[in-house]
């Protein structure tokens, strides 16, 4: 356990950050999962809405530092590519 005041504060901060990051990661997973399900259903409007929501969630996670910028970009790209492939 922490021995100094600053180490104790650091520990408290890390717990708060972890809780926030876990929450953001969960919302990212949910958004991506719903986008994949929408793509699989081949419903055009549902797919575009889900894709838009997923990309927004991924970009938010990247801006907060939960995900790396390029990771979010790659995931968005792959979802869009999958949606284009299914619609064609």
């Amino acid at each position: 356990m922490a021995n100094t005041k600053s180490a104790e504060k650091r520990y408290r901060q890390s717990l708060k950050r972890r809780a926030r990051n876990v929450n953001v990661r969960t919302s990212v997973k949910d958004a991506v999962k719903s986008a994949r399900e929408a793509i699989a259903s081949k419903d055009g409007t549902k797919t575009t809405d889900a894709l838009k929501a997923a990309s927004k969630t991924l970009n938010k996670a990247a801006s907060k530092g939960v995900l790396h910028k390029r990771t979010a970009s790659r995931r968005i790209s792959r979802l869009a590519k999958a949606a284009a492939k299914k619609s064609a």
Side-chain angles (χ1 to χ4, degrees), residues 69-84:
K69 182 174 64 171
R70 289 191 190 109
T71 302
S73 179
R74 182 180 68 244
R75 289 185 185 179
I76 292 167
S77 174
R78 286 180 182 170
L79 282 172
K81 189 176 176 183

Side-chain angles (χ1 to χ4, degrees), residues 7-78:
E8 288 171 1
K9 183 177 179 180
R10 270 300 200 196
Y11 179 67
R12 286 195 309 270
Q13 287 175 332
S14 72
L15 290 178
K16 285 180 191 173
R17 285 194 186 105
R18 182 179 184 284
R20 204 165 30 232
N21 290 344
V22 166
N23 191 17
V24 171
R25 266 192 225 110
T26 303
S27 64
V28 165
K29 284 179 187 177
D30 290 343
V32 169
K33 186 177 180 182
S34 66
R36 289 193 195 285
E37 288 171 355
I39 291 167
S41 73
K42 297 181 182 178
D43 183 14
T45 55
K46 192 176 174 186
T47 300
T48 53
D49 290 343
L51 201 62
K52 196 181 286 186
S55 64
K56 184 178 178 183
T57 309
L58 282 160
N59 281 328
K60 250 187 190 177
S63 71
K64 291 181 184 212
V66 177
L67 289 178
H68 193 273
K69 182 174 64 171
R70 289 191 190 109
T71 302
S73 179
R74 182 180 68 244
R75 289 185 185 179
I76 292 167
S77 174
R78 286 180 182 170

